[in-house]
């Protein structure tokens, strides 16, 4: 029997204190109470202290016959560099539904990287009176999932270089003997990954002694072409000096040097796998499918071929379990996975969503969030996440701000850390009107998928009633079911009640979800559909490198994968400087890469960094511990 939900009361203050002050003043329910109210059994939990826990995947077996709740995706118009409050809206909407309207609700969001937390952005737990708590835990380590990804990723990186080194030092016979050494009785055996490799090679034998010399050579020698290697090492710190490195400089490596580099951990394909997997069995298969490059014949080499996909899965066995936390008003939240929103697909995990949808039941709501603006986040949510999950979204909540729309109307440049120009803080209806086409295109894009749209106008203190009303009217004329002003940052769930009511109403209306493109069409067709239908482009231009990759991936059978466009989040186009709702432009695709384990191809539009750098004055200057209270200070 599920315990009745008890909201946590907020102590609203004016002016609104810092995020960490609010979080540290909050009343926290024991996580056992949060779990009990949500319908999670004690034996389905792994506790990490009193206020957070992991949920075991066995819960899905218990809940499998139950109906799903309503599935809501929170996305946004093309943002300013400051962000427009998607996470804050996601949390505020959940608090309104659960603590004020009495609905069963779950918030499902991504775990942030330590990179932006200590770099330039700060925390990502929401803001004001709409946050996930404990805020310090959320932003720092949590339960170690990102560290597990770092370990698994770097195990594969080390294994690749070790294999190339040993192959260069040994002939086929010595290599085979080293991989399958005879025991004292002269018997040899294949390990499970070796049997998978033999199967892939079409060698139907299980006894090493039965292999012919030619089969032994094919099995043992991967013959990796170092020029094709795409697998890099990762670390969860913004470290610009690791972007390009040279390895193999030690004397024992015998001059076998090569250039490579580090990405930030959340850009690892393993993070994307964690977000898209549906079970431990599925994760094991995806690990094995990771392609690290090709051999000199142009054949794909996988993590299974390297032999460490099983060990990588073992390192991820705890990370696959979603992390249970709570909002400031005591509603339950899953924080799980945090893939990059441009290089990868920028969504929290399918597993967390599936568990949450069962727990809330058919009259409940799961509120999840897509990274960046709707042209990236929503498009990838529908085209990749929903494809692999089989889940049907009911409503898109599009977050819009007067500030961002004025920028799209031609307002001055918005720079993080610098005061806003007067155009943004004074009423300016003309500038605002010029920026409305950006929001209108995002609404029409969502409607192409057959999903109902509600616009959340995330209101700031400087917005005037006339400005807000202009946005509302334009949103409804563009096809939104409703457009509602929301003040959840200042007021918590109370400030999002009207938004929650609009979402409930929209979720009850019929929808007709459909994908933008089928998977069985050529790679170029899929890319061009996204560029024309979502971005408003006239066409696509491919570099010689991109053309070669299209040919290679088609020959290798990867052409049936969905597309995950890697582009700037600051424009509909590939150029961050082009604001508004541009048209008539052409999209340059400079390269295409494959995340076969995760299950997508990602075309690169322009230069995309996979390792951020620290600014002159990073956020970590402010982060410390109060030695008297033992509390973290300086996070925001």
């Amino acid at each position: 029997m599920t315990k009745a939900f008890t909201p946590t009361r907020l102590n609203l203050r004016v002016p609104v204190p810092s995020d960490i002050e609010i979080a540290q003043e909050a009343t926290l329910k024991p996580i056992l109470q949060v779990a009990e109210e949500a319908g999670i059994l004690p034996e389905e939990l792994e506790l990490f202290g009193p206020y957070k826990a992991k949920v075991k995947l066995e819960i899905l077996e218990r809940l499998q016959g139950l109906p799903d709740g309503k599935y809501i995706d929170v996305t946004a118009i093309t943002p300013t560099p400051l962000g427009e409050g998607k996470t804050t809206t996601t949390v505020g909407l959940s608090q309104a539904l659960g603590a004020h309207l009495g609905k069963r609700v779950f918030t499902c969001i991504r775990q942030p990287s330590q990179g932006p937390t200590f770099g330039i952005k700060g925390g990502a737990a929401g803001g004001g009176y709409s946050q996930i708590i404990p805020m310090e835990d959320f932003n720092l380590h949590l339960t170690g999932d990102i560290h597990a990804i770092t370990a698994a990723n770097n195990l594969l990186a080390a294994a690749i270089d070790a294999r190339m080194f040993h192959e260069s030092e040994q002939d086929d016979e010595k290599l085979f003997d080293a991989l399958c050494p005879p025991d004292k009785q002269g018997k040899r055996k294949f390990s499970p990954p070796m049997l998978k490799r033999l199967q892939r090679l079409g060698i139907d034998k299980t006894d090493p002694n039965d292999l012919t010399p030619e089969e032994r050579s094919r099995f043992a020698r991967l013959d990796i072409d170092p020029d094709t290697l795409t697998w890099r090492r990762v670390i969860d710190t913004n470290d610009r000096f690791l972007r390009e490195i040279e390895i193999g400089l030690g004397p024992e490596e015998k001059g076998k040097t090569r250039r490579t580099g580090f990405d930030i951990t959340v850009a690892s394909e393993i993070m994307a796998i964690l977000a898209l997997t549906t079970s431990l069995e599925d994760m094991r298969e995806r690990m094995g499918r990771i392609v690290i490059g090709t051999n000199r014949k142009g054949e794909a080499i996988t993590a299974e071929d390297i032999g460490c996909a099983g060990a990588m899965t073992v390192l991820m066995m705890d990370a696959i379990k979603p992390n249970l936390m709570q909002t400031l008003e005591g509603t339950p939240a899953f924080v799980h996975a945090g893939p990059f929103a441009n290089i990868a697909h920028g969504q929290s995990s399918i597993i967390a969503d599936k568990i949450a949808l069962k727990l809330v039941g058919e009259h409940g709501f799961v509120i999840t969030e897509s990274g960046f603006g709707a042209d990236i986040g929503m498009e990838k949510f529908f085209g990749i996440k929903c494809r692999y999950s089989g889940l049907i979204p009911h409503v898109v909540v599009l977050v819009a701000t007067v500030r961002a729309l004025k920028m799209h109307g031609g307002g001055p440049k918005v720079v993080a850390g610098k005061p806003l120009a007067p155009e943004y803080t004074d009423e300016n209806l003309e500038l605002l009107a010029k920026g409305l086409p950006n929001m209108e295109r995002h609404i029409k894009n969502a409607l192409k998928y057959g999903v109902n749209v509600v616009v959340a106008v995330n209101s700031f203190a400087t917005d005037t009633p006339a400005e807000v009303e202009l946005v509302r009217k334009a949103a409804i004329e563009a096809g939104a079911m409703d457009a509602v002003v929301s003040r959840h940052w200042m007021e918590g769930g109370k400030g999002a009640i009207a938004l929650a009511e609009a979402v409930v109403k929209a979720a009850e209306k019929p929808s007709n979800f459909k994908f933008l493109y089928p998977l069985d069409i050529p790679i170029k067709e899929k890319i061009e559909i996204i560029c024309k239908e979502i971005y408003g482009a006239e066409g696509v231009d491919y570099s010689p490198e991109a053309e070669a990759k299209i040919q290679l991936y088609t020959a290798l059978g990867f052409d049936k994968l969905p597309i995950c466009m890697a582009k700037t989040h600051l424009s509909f186009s590939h150029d961050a400087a082009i604001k508004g709702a541009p048209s008539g432009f052409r999209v340059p695709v400079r390269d295409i890469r494959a995340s076969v384990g995760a299950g997508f191809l990602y075309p690169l539009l322009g230069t995309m960094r996979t390792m951020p750098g620290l600014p002159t004055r990073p956020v970590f200057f402010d982060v410390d511990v109060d030695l008297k209270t033992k509390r973290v200070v300086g996070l925001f």
Side-chain angles (χ1 to χ4, degrees):
M1 183 73 181
T2 302
K3 185 177 180 180
F5 171 74
T6 306
T8 304
R9 291 189 62 183
L10 294 176
N11 176 29
L12 300 176
R13 288 205 279 149
V14 180
V16 177
S18 71
D19 290 352
I20 195 163
E21 283 182 79
I22 293 170
Q24 290 181 343
E25 286 176 0
T27 302
L28 283 152
K29 294 180 186 178
I31 202 66
L32 285 168
Q33 181 185 343
V34 175
E36 187 179 7
E37 291 176 352
I40 303 168
L41 303 177
E43 58 268 28
E44 293 165 341
L45 292 174
E46 291 179 359
L47 297 178
F48 281 73
Y51 303 119
K52 58 185 187 287
K54 279 192 167 291
V55 176
K56 299 175 184 177
L57 302 196
E58 286 79 3
I59 191 172
L60 280 169
E61 296 171 22
R62 177 172 68 85
L63 301 174
Q64 64 181 344
L66 299 179
D68 287 345
K70 302 292 186 184
Y71 197 30
I72 315 298
D73 180 45
V74 178
T75 184
I77 64 171
T78 307
T80 68
L82 306 177
E84 306 320 304
K86 276 197 317 298
T87 306
T88 310
T89 303
T90 301
V91 177
L93 172 58
S94 293
Q95 292 180 160
L97 286 163
H100 296 270
L101 297 187
K103 304 289 185 183
R104 291 186 64 78
V105 68
F106 239 103
T107 311
C108 291
I109 60 175
R110 290 183 293 166
Q111 179 186 354
S113 163
Q114 181 183 289
T117 299
F118 287 152
I120 195 167
K121 184 179 177 183
Y129 288 102
S130 295
Q131 296 186 56
I132 306 291
I133 50 174
M135 181 258 223
E136 305 96 316
D137 296 21
F138 180 98
N139 287 305
L140 302 171
H141 302 290
L142 196 51
T143 58
D145 295 351
I146 291 179
H147 301 312
I149 292 163
T150 304
N153 184 102
N154 292 346
L155 174 65
L156 178 55
I160 292 165
D161 285 302
R163 185 60 173 263
M164 290 195 299
F165 173 80
H166 291 302
E167 285 193 19
S168 70
E169 295 289 302
Q170 302 172 62
D171 60 26
D172 291 352
E173 187 177 346
K174 286 182 179 177
L175 195 58
F176 183 80
D177 286 342
L179 289 168
C180 302
D183 61 18
K184 290 179 180 178
Q185 285 75 43
K187 293 183 178 179
R188 307 174 189 261
K189 67 176 183 178
F190 290 123
S191 66
M194 292 176 177
L195 292 170
K196 287 179 180 286
R197 171 159 172 77
L198 287 166
Q199 189 177 17
R200 208 161 84 84
L201 292 172
I203 300 173
D204 188 22
K205 295 176 181 177
T206 56
D207 185 343
N209 293 315
D210 292 343
L211 267 63
T212 66
E214 189 269 337
E215 287 171 338
R216 289 186 177 195
S217 175
R218 285 178 61 213
F219 161 77
R221 190 163 297 279
L222 300 183
D223 197 25
I224 297 167
D225 182 350
D227 292 336
T228 68
L229 284 175
T230 56
W231 197 259
R232 290 155 59 94
R233 288 157 174 83
V234 298
I235 187 171
D236 194 38
T237 304
N238 288 359
D239 193 343
R240 66 177 72 242
F241 286 94
L242 290 178
R243 287 172 180 163
E244 294 294 328
I245 63 170
E246 189 170 13
I247 59 173
L249 296 173
E252 293 184 12
E253 284 63 61
K254 302 179 182 179
K256 294 178 174 62
T257 63
R258 72 178 183 92
R259 290 182 68 86
T260 179
F262 275 74
D263 297 333
I264 197 159
T265 300
V266 292
S268 170
E269 184 177 347
I270 298 174
M271 176 62 93
I273 288 172
L274 177 64
L276 288 169
T277 194
T278 53
S279 66
L280 185 63
E281 293 78 12
D282 176 70
M283 185 167 74
R284 175 63 183 82
E285 287 299 313
R286 287 175 180 271
M287 290 290 195
R289 290 201 301 265
I290 290 171
V291 172
I292 58 93
T294 66
N295 61 17
R296 295 181 197 278
K297 294 178 182 176
E299 299 163 334
I301 299 295
T302 67
E304 202 73 77
D305 294 322
I306 298 293
C308 65
M312 291 160 66
T313 306
V314 168
L315 287 169
M316 293 291 293
M317 283 180 69
D318 285 330
I320 197 175
K321 303 164 190 171
N323 304 295
L324 180 66
M325 299 183 76
Q326 64 190 289
T327 70
L328 284 168
E329 297 192 57
T331 58
F334 278 137
V335 180
H336 198 214
F340 248 28
N342 41 25
I343 296 295
H345 64 298
Q347 317 290 328
S348 58
S349 79
I350 286 173
I351 284 176
D353 289 358
K354 284 191 169 232
I355 295 171
L357 284 162
K358 296 295 183 189
L359 288 169
V360 299
E362 63 180 321
H363 302 298
F365 293 82
V366 170
I367 316 296
T368 191
E369 173 197 348
S370 296
F372 291 152
D375 56 311
I376 299 181
M378 181 193 72
E379 187 270 313
K380 294 176 181 180
F381 175 76
F382 291 155
I384 299 173
K385 185 176 182 180
C386 290
R387 230 184 260 273
Y388 285 120
S389 69
L391 300 173
I392 305 297
H394 295 87
V395 180
V396 162
V397 175
L398 183 74
V399 178
T401 62
V402 169
R403 173 181 73 193
L405 290 168
K406 285 180 175 179
M407 178 193 71
H408 288 296
K413 191 173 183 180
V414 177
V415 180
K418 292 188 178 180
L420 288 169
E423 286 87 343
Y424 296 109
T425 53
D426 299 339
E427 182 171 280
N428 191 326
L429 297 174
E430 183 183 356
L431 188 63
L432 178 60
K434 287 180 181 175
L436 291 172
N438 182 274
M439 176 183 70
E440 291 161 355
R441 179 178 291 175
H442 284 297
I443 293 169
K444 287 169 183 173
N445 283 347
L447 295 174
K448 288 177 182 178
Y449 292 91
V451 180
N452 299 323
V453 180
V454 172
V455 171
V457 184
N458 186 20
S459 182
F460 299 138
T462 54
D463 298 345
T464 68
E467 287 176 330
V468 168
E469 187 54 33
L470 183 61
V471 177
R472 284 190 67 259
K473 186 179 176 186
I476 292 167
E477 287 177 357
M481 199 158 278
D482 205 346
V484 182
V485 179
S486 198
R487 295 185 177 86
H488 44 274
W489 183 80
M490 298 164 273
E491 301 175 7
K494 175 186 164 189
I497 290 173
L499 174 61
E501 289 171 340
V503 168
V504 170
K505 191 175 177 181
E508 290 168 353
K509 298 286 184 183
S511 59
N512 182 29
F513 177 67
K514 54 186 178 292
F515 294 114
L516 189 68
Y517 57 84
L519 292 181
D520 59 357
I521 60 175
I523 294 170
K524 279 189 177 181
E525 263 188 68
K526 286 183 267 201
I527 292 171
E528 285 158 21
I529 286 170
I530 294 170
C531 290
K532 291 175 181 177
E533 293 290 325
I534 302 299
Y535 307 159
E538 183 181 75
V540 183
D541 298 319
Y542 301 89
S543 72
E545 291 85 354
E547 293 279 9
K549 289 288 184 65
I550 289 169
Q551 281 189 313
L552 174 65
Y553 294 154
T554 302
L556 291 172
F558 304 157
D559 54 320
K560 301 298 185 287
L561 295 174
I563 301 297
C564 184
M565 301 291 263
K567 79 170 186 77
T568 178
H569 62 293
L570 298 173
S571 172
F572 267 116
S573 76
H574 59 284
D575 183 348
I578 301 174
K579 304 301 181 185
S583 60
F585 61 93
R586 296 187 67 82
V587 173
V589 176
R590 70 174 176 88
D591 197 3
I592 303 176
R593 294 177 188 168
S595 288
V596 181
F600 53 73
L601 302 178
Y602 59 101
L604 299 175
L605 318 185
T607 303
M608 301 305 303
R609 281 207 182 109
T610 52
M611 170 58 83
L614 288 172
T616 307
R617 209 280 189 192
V619 175
F620 64 64
F621 273 97
D622 300 310
V623 179
D624 210 327
V625 60
D626 184 322
L627 295 175
K628 289 182 180 178
T629 64
K630 305 295 190 291
R631 280 186 160 183
V632 174
V633 295
L635 280 176
F636 64 91

